[in-house]
Amino acid sequence: MGTWSIRVELEVETGGKRQVRKEDRSPSNTSNPDYDRTSELKAFDDTKAGVKGLVDAGITEVPRVFHQPPYKIQKTSVSGDAHFSIPVIDLEGVKKDPITRKDMVDKVGKASRKWGFFQVINHGIPVSILEEMKDGVRRFYEQDLEVKKQYYTRDYTKPLVYNSNFDLYTGLAVNWRDTFLSLMAPNPPKMEDLPALCRDIMVEYSKQVQNLGNLLLELLSEALGLKPDHLKDMDCGRGLAMLCHYYPACPQPELALGTSKHADNGFVTVLLQDHIGGLQVLHEDKWIDVPPTPGALVINVGDLLQLISNDTFISVEHRVLANSVGPRVSVACFFSTNIMPDSRLYGPIKELLSEENPPKYRETTVRDYVLFSNGRGLDVDGTSPLLHFRL
Ligand code: OGA
Ligand code: NI
């Protein structure tokens, strides 16, 4: 086989002191201290039943491969403090009244500079569609295992990919989460390739999210001082990757995470979350709760928008805590063509550059950026993949 190797730096606590331990996790390393871990991961993967399968089997303790270093779950989160809450932007009337629209451009711009995150209400997607989307995701995970297993794969060229933890073998700890995903645009999958229990709503919801995405791209373009169509004309709204997550109830939520700290690698993300909560954003070094708000959608700037805006907008790290009352369901729609081959290059937008604001990044294709970002797994060394593209 090849000669690739995996070296990781683990932060471990011994006698109350945090230390960094280097490990060689290459497959060729016969003294690999994680040999057992690798076979535990493989056994888990082979069940094709995900984390839900463990819970259904009645486990009462979280297996070791899911254990996070304690400092990664620390409880210092802030909620209910107005100074530390994600902005909520009301999009009512955005298409009718130029004064309202100007106000929204300001709010979207401010939120994208300062937080990288905001929620939108009156966004035009009917509540019934949001509810049906969450129900569809639940139906997929809760269906007969033998049917669901047919979709279990790590081959991302498949039209529908269901598995648990895309970075299962490279991440430092497994997340308490299962996921299925599909690239819904620009080339929608064939209807028969989508799961029968949720295909209609996946198609309907992705159309609605694309409309909302186009509106957001207009507001973001204007907030950058560009023509409304600028980001759309750069094809930032062309691809839509839909990730449907399922976070089963966790018997020891203080030991695991639902999703480790990461930033999203597309242009913009539209996230639908249910009523359970657990999503947190890292702001001024504090974890801030993103409270579930009925009917609202969470919007965040992704790495590629930070790159093309030359750091005007920020792609902010976030995570999901494990919960004891789940299942929690969420749907993350990334505006991105993901790993689809596409030669278009993205770099800092020329119109934004000047002598005082020189380009901070080199150009990349979406595919190269996503492959680099996903190749590292979530929160493996604590740094942003954007650094790799910095000039
Ligand atoms: C993601 C993500 C948050 C959630 O898919 O990138 O951050 O609430 N999801 O599931
Ligand atoms: Ni995310």
Side-chain angles (χ1 to χ4, degrees):
M1 292 291 286
T3 53
W4 54 278
S5 65
I6 306 172
R7 271 167 239 287
V8 295
E9 291 191 9
L10 295 166
E11 289 187 273
V12 288
E13 279 198 341
T14 29
K17 267 192 11 207
R18 209 198 278 175
Q19 291 182 324
V20 175
R21 187 173 82 214
K22 295 192 175 173
E23 278 187 12
D24 181 357
R25 289 200 184 162
S26 317
S28 55
N29 179 13
T30 47
S31 62
N32 191 335
D34 278 329
Y35 185 75
D36 277 340
R37 188 173 181 277
T38 309
S39 31
E40 272 176 55
L41 294 174
K42 179 86 172 60
F44 168 68
D45 207 13
D46 286 346
T47 67
K48 303 186 176 188
V51 175
K52 183 175 189 300
L54 299 176
V55 174
D56 289 346
I59 58 150
T60 54
E61 287 184 358
V62 167
R64 208 180 43 176
V65 291
F66 292 87
H67 289 198
Q68 294 283 339
Y71 72 94
K72 288 206 175 177
I73 321 187
Q74 18 102 323
K75 285 279 177 318
T76 55
S77 49
V78 182
S79 66
D81 176 340
H83 177 66
F84 285 112
S85 59
I86 313 297
V88 177
I89 302 177
D90 186 346
L91 295 179
E92 181 76 56
V94 68
K95 299 220 171 97
K96 294 184 196 118
D97 171 16
I99 298 174
T100 311
R101 187 177 175 103
K102 172 82 179 56
D103 182 45
M104 285 172 200
V105 167
D106 287 348
K107 286 182 174 148
V108 165
K110 271 202 192 101
S112 304
R113 286 181 170 86
K114 179 171 177 220
W115 287 90
F117 261 82
F118 53 95
Q119 301 209 57
V120 289
I121 54 171
N122 295 314
H123 41 64
I125 306 184
V127 172
S128 57
I129 290 185
L130 304 182
E131 291 304 314
E132 174 56 13
M133 186 66 234
K134 288 179 283 181
D135 287 345
V137 175
R138 275 185 217 105
R139 286 195 299 270
F140 174 84
Y141 287 101
E142 292 168 7
Q143 72 182 307
D144 185 75
L145 180 58
E146 292 311 310
V147 181
K148 186 167 72 168
K149 267 184 184 172
Q150 297 167 12
Y151 294 101
Y152 198 93
T153 180
R154 295 192 179 275
D155 175 357
Y156 286 88
T157 63
K158 293 265 164 69
L160 192 116
V161 172
Y162 150 61
N163 62 39
S164 187
N165 289 253
F166 73 94
D167 57 348
L168 184 69
Y169 295 101
T170 48
L172 292 186
V174 185
N175 285 162
W176 202 260
R177 180 193 75 239
D178 301 328
T179 301
F180 70 89
L181 63 103
S182 185
L183 189 64
M184 301 299 290
N187 308 313
K190 290 202 221 74
M191 218 41 180
E192 61 266 30
D193 288 335
L194 295 174
L197 291 170
C198 54
R199 57 170 69 121
D200 293 340
I201 189 63
M202 285 177 78
V203 171
E204 173 66 22
Y205 182 66
S206 49
K207 280 187 199 144
Q208 298 272 351
V209 169
Q210 280 198 288
N211 290 337
L212 174 60
N214 285 332
L215 169 65
L216 291 167
L217 290 177
E218 285 179 14
L219 299 175
L220 289 162
S221 299
E222 290 180 55
L224 288 170
L226 303 166
K227 292 200 189 70
D229 287 341
H230 199 104
L231 292 172
K232 191 172 163 231
D233 289 346
M234 285 176 73
D235 284 344
C236 298
R238 197 164 84 94
L240 188 73
M242 182 188 274
L243 283 72
C244 302
H245 303 300
Y246 190 83
Y247 301 85
C250 181
Q252 295 172 298
E254 65 286 359
L255 296 182
L257 280 173
T259 301
S260 293
K261 181 179 85 166
H262 69 284
D264 296 349
N265 56 29
F267 292 101
V268 176
T269 305
V270 174
L271 179 87
L272 168 63
Q273 64 166 337
D274 71 9
H275 56 285
I276 291 186
L279 174 63
Q280 299 185 321
V281 171
L282 192 58
H283 178 75
E284 293 176 5
D285 227 22
K286 292 186 188 63
W287 286 107
I288 314 291
D289 289 328
V290 182
T293 307
L297 290 163
V298 181
I299 312 297
N300 63 284
V301 172
D303 287 350
L304 285 169
L305 182 54
Q306 174 165 341
L307 185 149
I308 62 175
S309 74
N310 210 34
D311 287 349
T312 304
F313 296 151
I314 53 172
S315 172
V316 170
E317 288 173 321
H318 50 285
R319 67 178 184 184
V320 182
L321 300 177
N323 74 82
S324 56
V325 292
R328 173 183 186 269
V329 157
S330 68
V331 179
C333 286
F334 285 31
F335 282 91
S336 167
T337 45
N338 216 21
I339 58 165
M340 189 184 95
D342 192 340
S343 56
R344 181 161 191 148
L345 287 169
Y346 288 92
I349 295 170
K350 301 275 181 306
E351 286 81 346
L352 304 178
L353 302 177
S354 63
E355 226 164 281
E356 299 79 57
N357 185 21
K360 294 185 172 136
Y361 298 98
R362 59 188 167 89
E363 293 186 323
T364 176
T365 63
V366 173
R367 176 180 158 87
D368 285 349
Y369 190 81
V370 172
L371 285 175
F372 179 77
S373 160
N374 286 349
R376 298 181 356 143
L378 300 180
D379 197 19
V380 171
D381 72 359
T383 67
S384 163
L386 270 175
L387 293 178
H388 182 75
F389 293 82
R390 254 190 120 86
L391 288 171

